[in-house]
């Protein structure tokens, strides 16, 4: 079996890929085979175990699974991970499960009180449409995008994130992750104002969310009469001035995608600055899985955040294909993926409540989801594996049959 795989990988080992990268020869990508096989087993078991509409979100401190209803901000990740699992493996059962878990989220197209519609709808219905081309997925995507656009305020130049809290008009760095949905929907449904709103949001966020070192604040609240910044705070980071790890990851991903969709050079320059902040940070551990906040001081006891690492890996792989000297981004992402694919982070098949990765952090200061699996860590990990395989021109479907 193993020699067959080696022979296969050796024969597909290429001189270089589209962006000039050296491709590993021989069986140097065994970790990739192991991780995708684990993912397929975990996703298959999860889909058999859980009920569509109550999707696995994380693991509670007592070891039981935390399930989330459709309205939860993480609801789109499990169906999205199933779609990626299908693409990576070619396993038709996963495609059927992905469809079943996607269509169970029918009600989320009517949600109006959050910005999280990109996570909720684009990761589920968006992937469903991208993979299958089936038009049954389009109407929910159109309705959701209209609801997202309705949260755009022209005076502020941004989409409102939350309807709760003490802020007048809160915009969080995570909101950049909704822009890919709005850029796509603007083009798909011929609504240029949706596309323009997404671009304006990216410009406003670039101006107000970032510090001189290109780290970002989590929450900015705006005055809706003047459009001016009222507060710069955090909701999930260590302090208002700290660099919450996942927030930095969302920023990197958001500007990489904004460049891809608009081709506006200032976005790719900004993404590269954020990448430099993350990659060169003195608190980045040698294995490249960040602590939950770059500014925590008790480094020995503070948990790592695999979800931030997975988002960073996926974003860097995409960034690596969009700049001339992308090798450094590719290499950093590869290092992250190898660590996440080690026994320390990758679940043993059948364990971990059928999540793929261990050791993420949701909201540490709220004592919520600390050192646990998270469905979005799994989602961005599989997305990154898919991007990695595409860049290296590795056909995982064939590999996984060996
Ligand atoms: N968007 C919420 C989080 O990153 O935890």
């Amino acid at each position: 079996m193993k020699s067959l795989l080696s022979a296969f990988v050796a024969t597909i080992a290429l001189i270089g890929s589209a962006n000039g990268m050296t491709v590993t020869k021989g069986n140097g990508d065994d970790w990739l085979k192991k991780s995708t096989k684990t993912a397929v087993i975990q996703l298959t078991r999860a889909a058999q175990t859980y009920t569509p509409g109550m999707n696995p979100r994380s693991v509670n401190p007592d070891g039981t699974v935390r399930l989330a209803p459709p309205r939860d901000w993480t609801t789109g990740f499990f169906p999205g991970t199933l779609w990626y699992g299908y693409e990576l493996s070619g396993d038709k059962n996963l495609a059927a499960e992905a469809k079943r878990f996607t269509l169970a989220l029918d009600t989320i197209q009517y949600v109006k009180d959050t910005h999280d519609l990109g996570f909720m709808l684009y990761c589920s219905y968006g992937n469903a449409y991208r993979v299958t081309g089936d038009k049954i997925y389009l109407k929910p995507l159109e309705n959701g995008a209209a609801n997202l656009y309705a949260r755009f305020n022209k005076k502020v130049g941004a989409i409102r994130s939350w309807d709760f809290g003490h802020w007048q008009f809160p915009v969080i760095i995570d909101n950049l992750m909704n822009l890919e949905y709005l850029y796509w929907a603007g083009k798909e449904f011929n609504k240029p104002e949706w596309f323009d709103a997404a671009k304006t949001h990216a410009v406003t966020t670039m101006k107000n969310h970032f510090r001189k070192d290109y780290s970002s604040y989590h929450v900015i609240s705006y005055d809706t009469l003047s459009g001016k910044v009222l507060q710069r705070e955090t909701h999930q980071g260590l302090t208002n001035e700290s660099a919450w790890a996942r927030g930095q990851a969302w920023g990197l991903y958001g500007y990489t995608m904004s460049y891809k969709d608009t081709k506006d050079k200032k976005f790719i320059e900004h993404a590269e600055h954020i990448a430099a902040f993350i990659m060169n940070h003195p608190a980045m551990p040698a294995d490249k899985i960040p602590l939950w906040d770059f500014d925590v001081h008790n480094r020995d006891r503070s948990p790592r955040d695999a979800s931030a690492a997975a988002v960073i890996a996926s974003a860097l792989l995409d960034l690596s294909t969009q700049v001339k000297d992308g090798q450094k981004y590719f290499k950093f992402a590869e290092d992250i993926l190898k660590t996440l694919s080690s026994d320390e982070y990758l679940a043993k098949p059948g364990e971990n409540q059928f999540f793929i990765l261990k050791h993420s952090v949701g909201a540490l200061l709220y004592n919520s989801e600390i050192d646990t699996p998270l469905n979005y860590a799994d989602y961005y990990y599989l997305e990154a594996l898919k991007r990695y395989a595409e860049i290296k021109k590795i056909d995982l479907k064939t590999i996984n049959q060996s």
Side-chain angles (χ1 to χ4, degrees), residues 6 58 65 134 142 150 161 173 208 212 230 275 288 312 318 363:
S6 306
S58 63
V65 69
D134 190 334
E142 185 175 7
S161 290
I173 192 72
N208 295 323
K212 285 203 172 70
L230 292 174
K288 300 188 171 61
I312 291 167
D318 210 60

Side-chain angles (χ1 to χ4, degrees), residues 338-352:
K338 283 183 176 173
T339 305
L340 291 179
S341 303
S342 70
D343 291 345
E344 177 65 19
Y345 285 93
L346 191 69
K348 283 205 178 68
E351 296 185 0
N352 208 35

Side-chain angles (χ1 to χ4, degrees), residues 30 36 83 121 123 130 160-161 184 208 231 249 290 328 343 362 378 384 386-387 400:
D30 273 2
T36 52
W83 285 114
L121 277 152
C123 296
R130 180 183 61 75
R160 183 186 179 110
S161 290
W184 170 82
N208 295 323
Q231 289 128 306
K328 61 179 182 286
D343 291 345
D378 288 1
K386 179 171 167 307
R387 288 179 175 177
N400 280 299

Side-chain angles (χ1 to χ4, degrees), residues 60-132:
N60 295 312
D62 66 2
T64 57
V65 69
R66 177 177 178 186
L67 299 171
R71 172 59 190 80
D72 190 88
W73 79 272
T74 71
T75 205
F77 292 120
F78 182 64
T81 312
L82 288 166
W83 285 114
Y84 281 141
Y86 163 61
E87 285 185 286
L88 283 165
S89 66
D91 183 332
K92 290 203 170 60
N93 172 57
L94 286 185
E97 295 292 18
K99 182 173 182 179
R100 198 164 68 97
F101 278 85
T102 297
L103 293 176
L105 300 180
D106 184 57
T107 53
I108 62 178
Q109 62 188 295
Y110 306 113
V111 171
K112 295 187 170 155
D113 60 355
T114 179
H115 70 137
D116 283 322
L117 297 165
F119 287 130
M120 295 162 75
L121 277 152
Y122 203 49
C123 296
S124 54
Y125 283 83
N127 276 312
Y129 182 63
R130 180 183 61 75
V131 173
T132 66

